Amino acid sequence: MQKRLLTASLCLSCLVLFSFTALAGSPTGQARSKAPSFAIVLASFGSTDAEAQKVQDAFLQAARERYAPTPVYMGFTARIVMKKLQEQGKDAPSLFRILAELGDQGYDHIAVQSMQVITGAEFEGVKQIATAQEGLPKGFKRVVVGDPLVASNEQAAELAHALIASLPKERKSGEPVIFIGHGAEGRGGLSYPALNWHLQILDPMLFISTVEGAPSMDDTLIALPAPEGKKLRVWLAPLLALAGEHARNDIFGADPDSWKSMLTAKGYECMNIEKALLSLPAVRELWFAHLDEALLSLGYEKK
Ligand code: CO
């Protein structure tokens, strides 16, 4: 119904004028196609945490410098985050709105980079919102969505190397490090055990766990060496794009059921690695590499 209305609204004289202009523009008499115009959107859940917002803004800034003069925007997916940011007077467009605006501005080739860690429900949502706008009348010709951090075995191996490269110097070999992710139902949830394996072939004292998925805290406690009365340092690190609520409460929080409290109660000495993934240069490079790939598949050439 909508399509029919749109077609009907194109009046005949406009069509004639358009054909004439297109023909006149080319010496061979054939319509010349306009050069593609590219734009980039970073699709993020976002965070209500001020420090996490700074980290995200820094990444946006780095992306703007890296891809200039191609415009780079942030599109949010969490209503609660958008509402909070808007209350603070910040422009925090939804992914849907920023894409619609770029379409209105005439951009026709769009790379949407997922700022998610795995291919969970959030990523699927980003893909759905982005690709729904491809090929609409007068809209984007192409929309490509860049992979989150881990969408394949190769990417899991790359992330394992980047995580090891980012470990604090104070961590002695043999001391366990637990990277704690969000957890996911469905296919995306397979990324965590896969990443655990990739880490452990490099260093058997590195573990992947989750706050609300598998491996769970109980799974990880079984795999962890027992302190047996000695002081055993365990490092806790968020496997989250940003260190927001989940990091502050579920991992490092003072509540008795946080990771830190539970492990301390079991006799471990907990060391906090409070930097989340977007704060780690080696991991940021992986996100950029995925965006480069998305742009490449759009036919983008760096100016
Ligand atoms: Co959650």
Side-chain angles (χ1 to χ4, degrees):
M1 185 63 191
Q2 229 169 10
K3 253 189 187 159
R4 216 177 301 154
L5 275 174
L6 272 172
T7 321
S9 68
L10 275 174
C11 83
L12 194 63
S13 56
C14 285
L15 278 173
V16 170
L17 184 66
F18 171 77
S19 322
F20 179 74
T21 322
L23 285 170
S26 160
T28 61
Q30 272 182 345
R32 199 169 37 180
S33 59
K34 161 180 164 298
S37 51
F38 297 92
I40 296 167
V41 179
L42 308 176
S44 169
F45 187 84
S47 175
T48 55
D49 183 272
E51 278 308 305
Q53 283 169 24
K54 275 189 211 154
V55 168
Q56 179 148 281
D57 289 345
F59 185 80
L60 174 63
Q61 196 47 42
R64 285 182 169 155
E65 281 160 25
R66 186 179 170 118
Y67 298 101
T70 305
V72 185
Y73 295 95
M74 187 74 76
F76 294 90
T77 59
R79 274 231 176 84
I80 171 112
V81 173
M82 288 186 267
K83 198 167 164 260
K84 270 261 175 77
L85 290 174
Q86 279 154 10
E87 279 166 7
Q88 294 166 14
K90 292 178 189 151
D91 184 35
S94 67
L95 175 61
F96 190 88
R97 171 152 76 86
I98 195 72
L99 287 170
E101 281 173 13
L102 289 168
D104 287 349
Q105 287 170 31
Y107 291 99
D108 50 24
H109 284 63
I110 308 293
V112 174
Q113 178 54 45
S114 154
M115 298 312 297
Q116 281 73 42
V117 179
I118 55 140
T119 55
E122 268 297 307
F123 171 72
E124 292 303 329
V126 164
K127 218 165 66 174
Q128 223 180 326
I129 291 167
T131 52
Q133 302 208 27
E134 187 181 57
L136 293 177
K138 299 187 183 181
F140 304 137
K141 288 198 177 73
R142 288 201 63 204
V143 178
V144 171
V145 180
D147 282 341
L149 267 187
V150 180
S152 71
N153 225 359
E154 292 73 22
Q155 290 169 351
E158 283 166 359
L159 180 55
H161 283 280
L163 290 176
I164 290 174
S166 311
L167 284 173
K169 281 188 232 52
E170 300 74 34
R171 181 252 174 179
K172 297 196 189 90
S173 94
E175 288 176 348
V177 184
I178 312 171
F179 297 94
I180 303 156
H182 189 277
E185 288 172 3
R187 273 182 291 184
L190 289 169
S191 304
Y192 298 106
L195 193 53
N196 190 61
W197 181 82
H198 280 286
L199 274 173
Q200 296 206 338
I201 54 172
L202 299 168
D203 178 338
M205 279 300 114
L206 303 183
F207 301 88
I208 294 288
S209 200
T210 64
V211 290
E212 48 188 75
S216 65
M217 187 194 284
D218 287 343
D219 297 334
T220 304
L221 281 172
I222 291 167
L224 214 58
E228 289 169 344
K230 287 175 293 183
K231 215 163 127 182
L232 180 57
R233 290 211 301 193
V234 172
W235 297 77
L236 301 178
L239 187 80
L240 303 161
L242 296 166
E245 295 272 320
H246 278 305
R248 215 179 24 240
N249 302 329
D250 302 320
I251 302 176
F252 305 117
D255 282 0
D257 60 350
S258 77
W259 273 82
K260 192 183 174 120
S261 303
M262 294 290 276
L263 280 141
T264 306
K266 291 195 183 299
Y268 296 95
E269 186 191 350
C270 290
M271 303 295 287
N272 298 357
I273 304 175
E274 288 182 24
K275 280 188 175 169
L277 299 171
L278 259 179
S279 307
L280 309 175
V283 180
R284 284 160 58 127
E285 277 312 306
L286 298 179
W287 259 299
F288 279 133
H290 297 181
L291 176 51
D292 285 344
E293 259 173 61
L295 285 164
L296 193 69
S297 74
L298 281 176
Y300 174 90
E301 274 170 46
K302 181 96 179 70
K303 285 180 195 101

